[in-house]
Amino acid sequence: MARKARQRISYAHLWYATAVTAAQLAGAYTSQTSAPKTLRNQIQAHTHWVNDILLTQSNNALVSASSDVSVKVWRPHAQERQIPTTIGLHSDYVKCLASPGSHADWVASGALDHKIRIWDLYGGGERLCIDSGEDESNVKGSVYALSVRGSVMASGGPESIVRMWDARTGKRITKLVGHTDNIRDILINQDATTVMTASSDQTVKVWSVAAGRCMYTLNMHNDSVWSLYSDHPQLAVTYSSDRSGLVVKTDLQGSSDWDEGLSLSVAQEQGGVNKVIAACGDIWTATSSSSINRWRDTPSDGELQLPDQSPQFHRWSASSRSRAQAHPSPTMTNGMGKPKIPLSCVLRIPNSSNFPSHRQRDSDAATMYSSISFRKMSEAIAEQEIGPVLPFQDLPTETIQGQHGLIKHITLNDKRRVLTLDTAGDVVLWDLLKVVQ
């Protein structure tokens, strides 16, 4: 047990340092400069994996959720140095966090104990506890995804059901049924009328809260969708990532229907993307690696570059990347300041949005069309064989290197020394009593 505890501590220190960096960059990053980022601060707060973090109270408070069953708050910018404070405990791994706004005085957490708990950020303890399974006897009631907008809260997990709650009373508002696998992430629009969910069933669904049903199923991914992000009040611009490492930007601005939206393959990571966040013209991705990558965001108001031979539409496949490389020059422009968007970056959005047949167009516009409307773009696409989807970029503009994590250890016969193997392949002998190599 002692050996396991020591291993968990070393993991926690590495992951918490990475988590703090990601939170500061994503939430407090306001500079447009491309200067390299530096680590501001770090602290070891947990004794097990950190599963989720969020910034609240105008980015002055960092809340973390861990497999050590605790929820903690840390205020790294306080005048007097503070250590993280435990504001709540679950009875099983805490998987997700949600806040109703940057000035709220409470935070919600979801865990594998089937509970959603609301905690006071100033140490007032638990304000509310919700049983995510309600009166239903279901062993799959664990909470993997949580989102709050005002007094409306949504949760999801292995049950494949999205439940809407009143965060003031804990009463259920409605439930949304349609996914066929674990729900991994949830977004709610500003007026809490629309919910967007990501699932391991490889789809993103858009729901009407009033109607209580799915309005659109988005099929731009071909693997489990792990993360969603949007800072648009009506979710008109969203970012999604999946287990294959694909990062997708979907833009509905200027369109009246999801069938007219634009979905672009903007980046390709080397592994599954656990979290994606966009800020100030950049996209940040976190994977199972301890490093964090920054990518240039892809403007969706560019112009479509239509080659002589174009596929009818694309749907991402992990094998696509092995057949061809990403576009070597994603910053090329059309001479008017707008970037050209290669047709092979365009992804199919809803499963019902079949592209219309090719129409006769004026010869002067035969090679370039505005990409602000997906329907207009599709009119320029001839019916041909489906080709591979290429990400707009497959190399990040910056990588914040993390430390190497321990993946294996062996205690020697003297019970005092331990051999460890880390992710870099280095083998190190440690003296447990002296705590040195």
Side-chain angles (χ1 to χ4, degrees):
M1 180 62 70
R3 293 197 300 271
K4 291 183 179 179
R6 291 188 184 98
Q7 187 179 26
R8 286 200 298 267
I9 289 173
S10 60
Y11 277 137
H13 181 81
L14 165 66
W15 279 92
Y16 195 78
T18 302
V20 171
T21 306
Q24 290 173 332
L25 289 172
Y29 176 58
T30 57
S31 174
Q32 294 289 348
T33 181
S34 59
K37 309 303 176 294
T38 57
L39 179 65
R40 298 182 184 178
N41 204 343
Q42 68 177 19
I43 196 166
Q44 183 172 328
H46 294 280
T47 58
H48 211 312
W49 297 102
V50 176
N51 297 317
D52 199 7
I53 58 173
L54 63 79
L55 285 168
T56 186
Q57 296 184 331
S58 300
N59 295 332
N60 289 314
L62 173 69
V63 185
S64 56
S66 171
S67 292
D68 66 9
V69 310
S70 71
V71 178
K72 298 194 176 189
V73 62
W74 180 37
R75 293 178 172 85
H77 304 305
Q79 292 183 352
E80 297 183 3
R81 180 176 175 81
Q82 296 182 359
I83 62 173
T85 304
T86 300
I87 58 174
L89 294 171
H90 283 262
S91 60
D92 207 335
Y93 294 176
V94 190
K95 300 296 290 184
C96 52
L97 296 167
S99 171
S102 61
H103 301 290
D105 61 354
W106 61 270
V107 67
S109 61
L112 301 189
D113 60 6
H114 302 193
K115 298 293 191 297
I116 301 168
R117 300 179 187 270
I118 293 179
W119 311 99
D120 188 293
L121 285 172
Y122 294 99
E126 180 182 294
R127 292 189 180 183
L128 185 67
C129 179
I130 301 172
D131 189 338
S132 63
E134 301 170 288
D135 298 328
E136 304 170 19
S137 56
N138 195 327
V139 296
K140 293 184 177 182
S142 301
V143 182
Y144 278 75
L146 195 62
S147 183
V148 183
R149 180 70 75 167
S151 62
V152 177
M153 182 162 54
S155 65
E159 290 179 290
S160 309
I161 298 173
V162 181
R163 288 186 169 87
M164 307 292 297
W165 310 92
D166 186 328
R168 298 165 298 186
T169 64
K171 293 183 178 180
R172 195 187 76 185
I173 300 172
T174 186
K175 65 179 180 179
L176 310 173
V177 181
H179 280 295
T180 59
D181 208 334
N182 191 9
I183 295 169
R184 302 296 299 264
D185 210 350
I186 302 175
L187 298 176
I188 304 175
N189 72 338
Q190 189 175 54
D191 51 8
T193 58
T194 301
V195 173
M196 180 178 287
T197 55
S199 171
S200 294
D201 64 12
Q202 305 179 8
T203 68
V204 175
K205 289 184 180 291
V206 182
W207 309 81
S208 167
V209 176
R213 66 184 183 90
C214 177
M215 305 302 291
Y216 297 97
T217 297
L218 314 183
N219 282 341
M220 57 275 201
H221 290 275
N222 199 32
D223 213 327
S224 299
V225 189
W226 285 358
S227 179
L228 291 172
Y229 176 81
S230 178
D231 58 5
H232 192 282
Q234 298 304 322
L235 310 181
V237 179
T238 59
Y239 299 82
S240 55
S241 62
D242 64 27
R243 184 171 58 183
S244 73
L246 179 67
V247 179
V248 175
K249 179 180 182 179
T250 302
D251 192 340
L252 191 65
Q253 296 181 105
S255 304
S256 60
D257 196 282
W258 280 94
D259 290 349
E260 300 177 13
L262 170 65
S263 192
L264 298 174
S265 167
V266 298
Q268 176 63 45
E269 272 281 11
Q270 298 299 315
V273 179
N274 297 312
K275 198 74 173 180
V276 60
I277 290 177
C280 301
D282 291 319
I283 299 172
W284 297 88
T285 55
T287 66
S288 58
S289 164
S290 58
S291 299
I292 301 169
N293 286 328
R294 177 170 67 92
W295 312 76
R296 276 193 300 271
D297 199 350
T298 304
S300 49
D301 61 347
E303 294 189 357
L304 179 67
Q305 184 183 20
L306 186 65
D308 293 336
Q309 298 294 326
S310 307
Q312 181 185 3
F313 62 83
H314 304 270
R315 191 165 185 259
W316 172 255
S317 171
S319 62
S320 300
R321 193 166 179 268
S322 64
R323 296 195 296 268
Q325 295 298 318
H327 301 282
S329 181
T331 57
M332 58 185 176
T333 64
N334 60 7
M336 300 178 62
K338 289 186 178 181
K340 295 179 181 179
I341 299 177
L343 182 62
S344 54
C345 291
V346 179
L347 293 159
R348 176 176 177 149
I349 304 185
N351 55 6
S352 59
S353 61
N354 295 321
F355 288 91
S357 300
H358 176 69
R359 299 180 183 179
Q360 187 66 33
R361 301 188 65 94
D362 184 73
S363 59
D364 293 338
T367 59
M368 198 70 69
Y369 298 95
S370 170
S371 65
I372 198 168
S373 168
F374 198 59
R375 179 169 295 171
K376 291 179 181 178
M377 283 202 303
S378 64
E379 293 174 357
I381 302 176
E383 294 183 0
Q384 297 179 21
E385 294 183 1
I386 299 174
V389 172
L390 304 181
F392 201 61
Q393 49 193 324
D394 62 357
L395 292 175
T397 57
E398 181 184 358
T399 297
I400 299 176
Q401 296 289 345
Q403 302 172 14
H404 298 298
L406 300 180
I407 57 177
K408 192 174 183 180
H409 74 284
I410 298 176
T411 304
L412 303 187
N413 291 335
D414 60 9
K415 305 299 182 182
R416 171 175 176 170
R417 293 175 296 170
V418 175
L419 278 174
T420 61
L421 173 67
D422 64 24
T423 52
D426 294 332
V427 177
V428 179
L429 178 64
W430 297 86
D431 188 312
L432 296 180
L433 296 182
K434 296 181 179 179
V435 196
V436 295
Q437 296 185 27

